[in-house]
Amino acid sequence: MGLYDQLTIFTGNANPELARKVCAYIDIPLGRIEVFKFSNENIFVRIGESVRENDVFVIQSFSSPVNESIMELLIIIDALKRASAGRITAVIPYYGYGRTDKKDQPRVPITARLIADMITVAGADRVLTIDLHAGQIQGFFNIPVDEMTALPILARYFQEKQLSNPVVVSPDLGSTKRARNFADELNAPLAIIEKRRKGNNDQTELLNLIGDVRDAEVILIDDEIDTAGSITQAAELCLARGARTIYAACTHPVLSGPAVERLARSPIQELVVTDTIPLPPHKHLEKITVLSVAPLLGESIQRIHTGASVSLAYRSAARLRWPSVG
């Protein structure tokens, strides 16, 4: 019996291309599955092969349509459980609802916790994810959670640019730790933008830039870009403070609402993202570069399957060049 004979990977409809790349990295076929909606919008799943006692991984980002992607994952997990899968790992490259991780207003939900409970109740035994919006979401699960990060992938891309005077800028105080780690990877100084959010309407008010970006090649770094309001305002502020060139990078390119239009007319020269979320054609701007997380996920899945250290996945996957996919 081969090492991966009982390793099976399935995917829903959220990001099948990423799942195919992960399978290509491991050199196994993608599992056969049907996932579709009836005319009444009910989701139906049929597993097309035996999974009895197999180590099964389901790759499904919570990308648009978000609620449908979540329901697909839950139903797939339920189908696998009822088909006697040995262990089920939910691979969630992008964990939607991550921003709703605490009660910061009266009478509001903690939806990130609710989703964690749903995944556990559905029958998942483990979760593998990338760059959660808030680290405490790991604690919302009563099953093991492996959170990987795409920062080394993004950092390597900028290292290869050999920028002469890079400065990493955090677009808000909440992203400071992530930006500091990214700056350490590049051996670059750090600057921080202090901002205040106005209610729940995705509008922000920039207050201050802490640090020096004059004549610098600025790299704005965040975990996700949603409507692109914060990142484009941050870029304009850096430009006003004398930045020479402005780049931006994030793991999850949500790019909802007016994001593409804002980015197109912003002073950001290049936006570097990963393929945790697929970009439809209308969101593909010339200034957007997409790097693949498939080697990172593939290496992590192999290590979970064989019982090896997942924390060493970065080192093993780094032997291959992180591919650009767009």
Short mmCIF file of all heavy atoms in Angstrom, two decimals, residues 245-296:
data_model
loop_
_atom_site.label_atom_id
_atom_site.label_comp_id
_atom_site.label_asym_id
_atom_site.label_seq_id
_atom_site.Cartn_x
_atom_site.Cartn_y
_atom_site.Cartn_z
N THR A 245 7.10 54.94 -4.09
CA THR A 245 6.31 53.91 -4.76
C THR A 245 5.46 53.21 -3.72
O THR A 245 5.90 53.02 -2.58
CB THR A 245 7.22 52.88 -5.46
OG1 THR A 245 8.20 53.56 -6.25
CG2 THR A 245 6.40 51.95 -6.35
N ILE A 246 4.27 52.79 -4.10
CA ILE A 246 3.38 52.12 -3.15
C ILE A 246 2.94 50.77 -3.70
O ILE A 246 2.39 50.68 -4.80
CB ILE A 246 2.15 52.98 -2.83
CG1 ILE A 246 2.59 54.32 -2.23
CG2 ILE A 246 1.21 52.26 -1.87
CD1 ILE A 246 1.48 55.30 -2.04
N TYR A 247 3.23 49.73 -2.92
CA TYR A 247 2.75 48.38 -3.19
C TYR A 247 1.75 48.01 -2.09
O TYR A 247 1.74 48.61 -1.02
CB TYR A 247 3.89 47.37 -3.19
CG TYR A 247 4.97 47.61 -4.21
CD1 TYR A 247 6.12 48.33 -3.87
CD2 TYR A 247 4.86 47.11 -5.50
CE1 TYR A 247 7.13 48.56 -4.80
CE2 TYR A 247 5.85 47.32 -6.44
CZ TYR A 247 6.99 48.04 -6.08
OH TYR A 247 7.98 48.26 -7.01
N ALA A 248 0.94 47.01 -2.35
CA ALA A 248 0.05 46.46 -1.33
C ALA A 248 0.06 44.95 -1.45
O ALA A 248 0.30 44.40 -2.54
CB ALA A 248 -1.36 47.00 -1.47
N ALA A 249 -0.19 44.27 -0.33
CA ALA A 249 -0.21 42.81 -0.33
C ALA A 249 -1.21 42.33 0.70
O ALA A 249 -1.38 42.94 1.75
CB ALA A 249 1.18 42.26 -0.03
N CYS A 250 -1.88 41.24 0.39
CA CYS A 250 -2.78 40.61 1.35
C CYS A 250 -2.91 39.14 0.99
O CYS A 250 -2.62 38.72 -0.13
CB CYS A 250 -4.16 41.28 1.35
SG CYS A 250 -5.19 40.88 -0.07
N THR A 251 -3.37 38.36 1.97
CA THR A 251 -3.58 36.93 1.73
C THR A 251 -4.89 36.69 1.00
O THR A 251 -4.94 35.91 0.04
CB THR A 251 -3.59 36.17 3.06
OG1 THR A 251 -2.35 36.37 3.74
CG2 THR A 251 -3.78 34.67 2.83
N HIS A 252 -5.96 37.37 1.44
CA HIS A 252 -7.31 37.07 0.94
C HIS A 252 -7.88 38.24 0.14
O HIS A 252 -8.28 39.25 0.71
CB HIS A 252 -8.23 36.76 2.12
CG HIS A 252 -7.70 35.77 3.09
ND1 HIS A 252 -7.40 34.47 2.74
CD2 HIS A 252 -7.38 35.89 4.42
CE1 HIS A 252 -6.95 33.83 3.81
NE2 HIS A 252 -6.92 34.66 4.83
N PRO A 253 -7.95 38.12 -1.19
CA PRO A 253 -8.50 39.21 -2.02
C PRO A 253 -10.03 39.11 -2.14
O PRO A 253 -10.56 38.66 -3.14
CB PRO A 253 -7.82 38.98 -3.37
CG PRO A 253 -7.61 37.49 -3.43
CD PRO A 253 -7.39 37.04 -2.02
N VAL A 254 -10.73 39.54 -1.09
CA VAL A 254 -12.19 39.49 -1.13
C VAL A 254 -12.71 40.41 -2.22
O VAL A 254 -13.56 40.03 -3.03
CB VAL A 254 -12.77 39.88 0.25
CG1 VAL A 254 -14.30 39.84 0.20
CG2 VAL A 254 -12.25 38.95 1.33
N LEU A 255 -12.24 41.65 -2.24
CA LEU A 255 -12.52 42.63 -3.31
C LEU A 255 -14.01 42.72 -3.63
O LEU A 255 -14.45 42.51 -4.75
CB LEU A 255 -11.73 42.28 -4.58
CG LEU A 255 -10.20 42.16 -4.42
CD1 LEU A 255 -9.56 42.01 -5.79
CD2 LEU A 255 -9.61 43.33 -3.65
N SER A 256 -14.78 43.08 -2.61
CA SER A 256 -16.23 43.20 -2.79
C SER A 256 -16.62 44.63 -3.11
O SER A 256 -15.84 45.57 -2.93
CB SER A 256 -16.96 42.73 -1.53
OG SER A 256 -16.65 43.57 -0.43
N GLY A 257 -17.85 44.80 -3.58
CA GLY A 257 -18.40 46.13 -3.84
C GLY A 257 -17.51 46.96 -4.75
O GLY A 257 -17.15 46.53 -5.86
N PRO A 258 -17.14 48.17 -4.30
CA PRO A 258 -16.37 49.09 -5.16
C PRO A 258 -14.87 48.83 -5.15
O PRO A 258 -14.10 49.67 -5.62
CB PRO A 258 -16.69 50.46 -4.53
CG PRO A 258 -16.84 50.15 -3.06
CD PRO A 258 -17.48 48.79 -3.00
N ALA A 259 -14.43 47.70 -4.62
CA ALA A 259 -12.99 47.46 -4.42
C ALA A 259 -12.18 47.59 -5.70
O ALA A 259 -11.14 48.26 -5.73
CB ALA A 259 -12.76 46.08 -3.79
N VAL A 260 -12.62 46.94 -6.77
CA VAL A 260 -11.84 46.93 -8.01
C VAL A 260 -11.71 48.34 -8.58
O VAL A 260 -10.62 48.76 -9.00
CB VAL A 260 -12.49 45.98 -9.04
CG1 VAL A 260 -11.78 46.08 -10.38
CG2 VAL A 260 -12.43 44.54 -8.54
N GLU A 261 -12.80 49.08 -8.56
CA GLU A 261 -12.76 50.46 -9.06
C GLU A 261 -11.82 51.32 -8.21
O GLU A 261 -11.04 52.12 -8.74
CB GLU A 261 -14.17 51.05 -9.06
CG GLU A 261 -14.25 52.47 -9.61
CD GLU A 261 -15.66 53.05 -9.53
OE1 GLU A 261 -16.60 52.26 -9.28
OE2 GLU A 261 -15.79 54.27 -9.69
N ARG A 262 -11.89 51.17 -6.90
CA ARG A 262 -11.02 51.93 -6.01
C ARG A 262 -9.55 51.60 -6.25
O ARG A 262 -8.70 52.49 -6.30
CB ARG A 262 -11.38 51.65 -4.55
CG ARG A 262 -12.66 52.31 -4.08
CD ARG A 262 -13.04 51.85 -2.69
NE ARG A 262 -14.16 52.62 -2.14
CZ ARG A 262 -14.81 52.31 -1.03
NH1 ARG A 262 -14.46 51.22 -0.34
NH2 ARG A 262 -15.81 53.06 -0.61
N LEU A 263 -9.25 50.33 -6.40
CA LEU A 263 -7.87 49.92 -6.62
C LEU A 263 -7.36 50.42 -7.97
O LEU A 263 -6.20 50.82 -8.10
CB LEU A 263 -7.76 48.39 -6.55
CG LEU A 263 -7.90 47.77 -5.16
CD1 LEU A 263 -8.09 46.26 -5.26
CD2 LEU A 263 -6.68 48.09 -4.29
N ALA A 264 -8.24 50.39 -8.97
CA ALA A 264 -7.83 50.81 -10.31
C ALA A 264 -7.39 52.27 -10.34
O ALA A 264 -6.43 52.63 -11.04
CB ALA A 264 -8.97 50.58 -11.30
N ARG A 265 -8.05 53.12 -9.57
CA ARG A 265 -7.71 54.54 -9.60
C ARG A 265 -6.81 54.96 -8.43
O ARG A 265 -6.51 56.15 -8.29
CB ARG A 265 -8.99 55.38 -9.61
CG ARG A 265 -9.85 55.28 -8.37
CD ARG A 265 -10.97 56.31 -8.40
NE ARG A 265 -11.72 56.34 -7.16
CZ ARG A 265 -12.90 55.79 -6.97
NH1 ARG A 265 -13.49 55.15 -7.97
NH2 ARG A 265 -13.51 55.86 -5.80
N SER A 266 -6.38 54.00 -7.63
CA SER A 266 -5.53 54.31 -6.47
C SER A 266 -4.07 54.45 -6.89
O SER A 266 -3.68 54.01 -7.98
CB SER A 266 -5.65 53.19 -5.44
OG SER A 266 -4.88 52.06 -5.83
N PRO A 267 -3.23 55.05 -6.04
CA PRO A 267 -1.79 55.16 -6.34
C PRO A 267 -1.03 53.87 -6.12
O PRO A 267 0.20 53.85 -6.27
CB PRO A 267 -1.32 56.26 -5.38
CG PRO A 267 -2.27 56.21 -4.24
CD PRO A 267 -3.60 55.80 -4.82
N ILE A 268 -1.71 52.77 -5.78
CA ILE A 268 -1.03 51.48 -5.59
C ILE A 268 -0.52 50.98 -6.93
O ILE A 268 -1.30 50.79 -7.87
CB ILE A 268 -1.98 50.45 -4.95
CG1 ILE A 268 -2.37 50.89 -3.54
CG2 ILE A 268 -1.33 49.07 -4.91
CD1 ILE A 268 -3.46 50.05 -2.90
N GLN A 269 0.78 50.78 -7.02
CA GLN A 269 1.39 50.34 -8.28
C GLN A 269 1.14 48.87 -8.55
O GLN A 269 0.91 48.46 -9.69
CB GLN A 269 2.90 50.60 -8.25
CG GLN A 269 3.64 50.13 -9.49
CD GLN A 269 5.09 50.56 -9.47
OE1 GLN A 269 5.41 51.75 -9.39
NE2 GLN A 269 6.01 49.58 -9.52
N GLU A 270 1.19 48.05 -7.50
CA GLU A 270 0.98 46.62 -7.66
C GLU A 270 0.34 46.07 -6.39
O GLU A 270 0.76 46.41 -5.28
CB GLU A 270 2.30 45.89 -7.92
CG GLU A 270 2.13 44.39 -8.16
CD GLU A 270 3.45 43.68 -8.41
OE1 GLU A 270 4.52 44.29 -8.12
OE2 GLU A 270 3.44 42.53 -8.88
N LEU A 271 -0.67 45.23 -6.54
CA LEU A 271 -1.30 44.53 -5.44
C LEU A 271 -0.98 43.04 -5.57
O LEU A 271 -1.29 42.42 -6.58
CB LEU A 271 -2.81 44.74 -5.45
CG LEU A 271 -3.64 43.88 -4.49
CD1 LEU A 271 -3.26 44.15 -3.03
CD2 LEU A 271 -5.13 44.09 -4.71
N VAL A 272 -0.34 42.49 -4.55
CA VAL A 272 0.07 41.08 -4.56
C VAL A 272 -0.83 40.31 -3.60
O VAL A 272 -0.93 40.67 -2.42
CB VAL A 272 1.55 40.92 -4.16
CG1 VAL A 272 1.97 39.46 -4.28
CG2 VAL A 272 2.42 41.81 -5.03
N VAL A 273 -1.51 39.29 -4.11
CA VAL A 273 -2.46 38.51 -3.31
C VAL A 273 -2.18 37.02 -3.52
O VAL A 273 -1.30 36.65 -4.30
CB VAL A 273 -3.91 38.84 -3.71
CG1 VAL A 273 -4.19 40.32 -3.58
CG2 VAL A 273 -4.21 38.39 -5.15
N THR A 274 -2.95 36.17 -2.83
CA THR A 274 -2.84 34.73 -3.04
C THR A 274 -4.16 34.19 -3.59
O THR A 274 -5.16 34.91 -3.66
CB THR A 274 -2.47 33.98 -1.74
OG1 THR A 274 -3.64 33.84 -0.92
CG2 THR A 274 -1.37 34.70 -0.98
N ASP A 275 -4.17 32.92 -3.93
CA ASP A 275 -5.36 32.30 -4.51
C ASP A 275 -6.22 31.57 -3.49
O ASP A 275 -6.90 30.61 -3.83
CB ASP A 275 -4.97 31.37 -5.65
CG ASP A 275 -4.01 30.26 -5.23
OD1 ASP A 275 -3.50 30.31 -4.09
OD2 ASP A 275 -3.75 29.35 -6.04
N THR A 276 -6.21 32.02 -2.21
CA THR A 276 -7.14 31.45 -1.24
C THR A 276 -8.58 31.70 -1.67
O THR A 276 -9.48 30.94 -1.35
CB THR A 276 -6.94 32.06 0.16
OG1 THR A 276 -7.11 33.48 0.09
CG2 THR A 276 -5.56 31.74 0.71
N ILE A 277 -8.78 32.81 -2.40
CA ILE A 277 -10.08 33.17 -2.97
C ILE A 277 -9.89 33.33 -4.47
O ILE A 277 -8.98 34.03 -4.91
CB ILE A 277 -10.60 34.48 -2.38
CG1 ILE A 277 -10.87 34.34 -0.88
CG2 ILE A 277 -11.87 34.94 -3.09
CD1 ILE A 277 -11.24 35.63 -0.19
N PRO A 278 -10.72 32.68 -5.29
CA PRO A 278 -10.56 32.83 -6.74
C PRO A 278 -11.00 34.21 -7.20
O PRO A 278 -11.98 34.76 -6.70
CB PRO A 278 -11.47 31.74 -7.32
CG PRO A 278 -12.52 31.54 -6.26
CD PRO A 278 -11.84 31.78 -4.94
N LEU A 279 -10.26 34.78 -8.14
CA LEU A 279 -10.62 36.08 -8.70
C LEU A 279 -11.35 35.87 -10.03
O LEU A 279 -10.76 35.37 -10.98
CB LEU A 279 -9.38 36.94 -8.92
CG LEU A 279 -8.71 37.55 -7.69
CD1 LEU A 279 -7.53 38.42 -8.12
CD2 LEU A 279 -9.69 38.36 -6.87
N PRO A 280 -12.62 36.26 -10.11
CA PRO A 280 -13.32 36.17 -11.40
C PRO A 280 -12.73 37.16 -12.39
O PRO A 280 -12.04 38.11 -11.99
CB PRO A 280 -14.77 36.52 -11.04
CG PRO A 280 -14.66 37.32 -9.78
CD PRO A 280 -13.47 36.81 -9.04
N PRO A 281 -12.97 36.98 -13.69
CA PRO A 281 -12.35 37.83 -14.71
C PRO A 281 -12.56 39.32 -14.49
O PRO A 281 -11.66 40.12 -14.75
CB PRO A 281 -13.03 37.35 -16.01
CG PRO A 281 -13.39 35.93 -15.74
CD PRO A 281 -13.76 35.87 -14.29
N HIS A 282 -13.74 39.73 -14.01
CA HIS A 282 -14.00 41.17 -13.86
C HIS A 282 -13.21 41.79 -12.71
O HIS A 282 -13.19 43.01 -12.57
CB HIS A 282 -15.50 41.43 -13.67
CG HIS A 282 -16.05 40.97 -12.35
ND1 HIS A 282 -16.44 39.67 -12.11
CD2 HIS A 282 -16.27 41.66 -11.19
CE1 HIS A 282 -16.88 39.57 -10.87
NE2 HIS A 282 -16.79 40.76 -10.29
N LYS A 283 -12.56 40.97 -11.90
CA LYS A 283 -11.73 41.50 -10.81
C LYS A 283 -10.24 41.45 -11.14
O LYS A 283 -9.41 41.83 -10.32
CB LYS A 283 -11.99 40.73 -9.52
CG LYS A 283 -13.38 40.95 -8.94
CD LYS A 283 -13.56 40.24 -7.61
CE LYS A 283 -14.96 40.48 -7.05
NZ LYS A 283 -15.13 39.82 -5.73
N HIS A 284 -9.89 40.98 -12.31
CA HIS A 284 -8.48 40.87 -12.70
C HIS A 284 -7.99 42.21 -13.25
O HIS A 284 -8.29 42.56 -14.40
CB HIS A 284 -8.29 39.77 -13.75
CG HIS A 284 -8.07 38.42 -13.15
ND1 HIS A 284 -6.90 38.06 -12.50
CD2 HIS A 284 -8.87 37.34 -13.10
CE1 HIS A 284 -6.99 36.80 -12.08
NE2 HIS A 284 -8.18 36.35 -12.42
N LEU A 285 -7.27 42.95 -12.45
CA LEU A 285 -6.62 44.17 -12.91
C LEU A 285 -5.18 43.86 -13.28
O LEU A 285 -4.57 42.92 -12.75
CB LEU A 285 -6.63 45.22 -11.79
CG LEU A 285 -7.99 45.73 -11.30
CD1 LEU A 285 -7.79 46.67 -10.12
CD2 LEU A 285 -8.74 46.43 -12.42
N GLU A 286 -4.63 44.65 -14.18
CA GLU A 286 -3.23 44.44 -14.57
C GLU A 286 -2.29 44.60 -13.40
O GLU A 286 -1.22 43.99 -13.35
CB GLU A 286 -2.85 45.42 -15.69
CG GLU A 286 -3.45 45.08 -17.04
CD GLU A 286 -2.90 45.95 -18.15
OE1 GLU A 286 -1.95 46.72 -17.88
OE2 GLU A 286 -3.41 45.87 -19.29
N LYS A 287 -2.67 45.42 -12.43
CA LYS A 287 -1.80 45.66 -11.28
C LYS A 287 -1.89 44.58 -10.21
O LYS A 287 -1.22 44.66 -9.18
CB LYS A 287 -2.09 47.04 -10.67
CG LYS A 287 -3.48 47.20 -10.07
CD LYS A 287 -3.60 48.49 -9.26
CE LYS A 287 -3.53 49.72 -10.13
NZ LYS A 287 -3.71 50.97 -9.32
N ILE A 288 -2.74 43.55 -10.40
CA ILE A 288 -2.89 42.49 -9.42
C ILE A 288 -2.03 41.28 -9.81
O ILE A 288 -2.13 40.77 -10.93
CB ILE A 288 -4.35 42.05 -9.27
CG1 ILE A 288 -5.20 43.21 -8.71
CG2 ILE A 288 -4.47 40.85 -8.33
CD1 ILE A 288 -6.67 42.87 -8.53
N THR A 289 -1.20 40.84 -8.89
CA THR A 289 -0.40 39.62 -9.06
C THR A 289 -0.90 38.57 -8.06
O THR A 289 -1.06 38.88 -6.87
CB THR A 289 1.10 39.89 -8.79
OG1 THR A 289 1.57 40.85 -9.74
CG2 THR A 289 1.92 38.62 -8.92
N VAL A 290 -1.16 37.36 -8.54
CA VAL A 290 -1.70 36.29 -7.68
C VAL A 290 -0.64 35.21 -7.50
O VAL A 290 -0.12 34.66 -8.47
CB VAL A 290 -2.97 35.67 -8.29
CG1 VAL A 290 -3.56 34.63 -7.33
CG2 VAL A 290 -4.01 36.74 -8.61
N LEU A 291 -0.32 34.90 -6.24
CA LEU A 291 0.61 33.83 -5.89
C LEU A 291 -0.18 32.65 -5.32
O LEU A 291 -1.19 32.85 -4.66
CB LEU A 291 1.63 34.32 -4.86
CG LEU A 291 2.40 35.59 -5.22
CD1 LEU A 291 3.33 35.97 -4.08
CD2 LEU A 291 3.18 35.42 -6.51
N SER A 292 0.28 31.45 -5.55
CA SER A 292 -0.48 30.27 -5.13
C SER A 292 -0.05 29.78 -3.75
O SER A 292 1.14 29.71 -3.43
CB SER A 292 -0.32 29.14 -6.14
OG SER A 292 -1.12 28.04 -5.75
N VAL A 293 -1.06 29.41 -2.94
CA VAL A 293 -0.81 28.78 -1.65
C VAL A 293 -0.87 27.26 -1.76
O VAL A 293 -0.79 26.57 -0.74
CB VAL A 293 -1.81 29.26 -0.58
CG1 VAL A 293 -1.63 30.74 -0.30
CG2 VAL A 293 -3.25 28.96 -1.01
N ALA A 294 -1.00 26.73 -2.97
CA ALA A 294 -1.13 25.28 -3.15
C ALA A 294 0.04 24.50 -2.56
O ALA A 294 -0.18 23.49 -1.88
CB ALA A 294 -1.31 24.94 -4.63
N PRO A 295 1.32 24.92 -2.77
CA PRO A 295 2.42 24.16 -2.14
C PRO A 295 2.33 24.15 -0.62
O PRO A 295 2.63 23.13 0.02
CB PRO A 295 3.67 24.90 -2.62
CG PRO A 295 3.26 25.57 -3.89
CD PRO A 295 1.83 25.97 -3.66
N LEU A 296 1.92 25.27 -0.02
CA LEU A 296 1.80 25.34 1.43
C LEU A 296 0.70 24.42 1.93
O LEU A 296 0.90 23.66 2.89
CB LEU A 296 1.50 26.79 1.84
CG LEU A 296 1.27 27.03 3.34
CD1 LEU A 296 2.48 26.63 4.16
CD2 LEU A 296 0.91 28.49 3.58
#
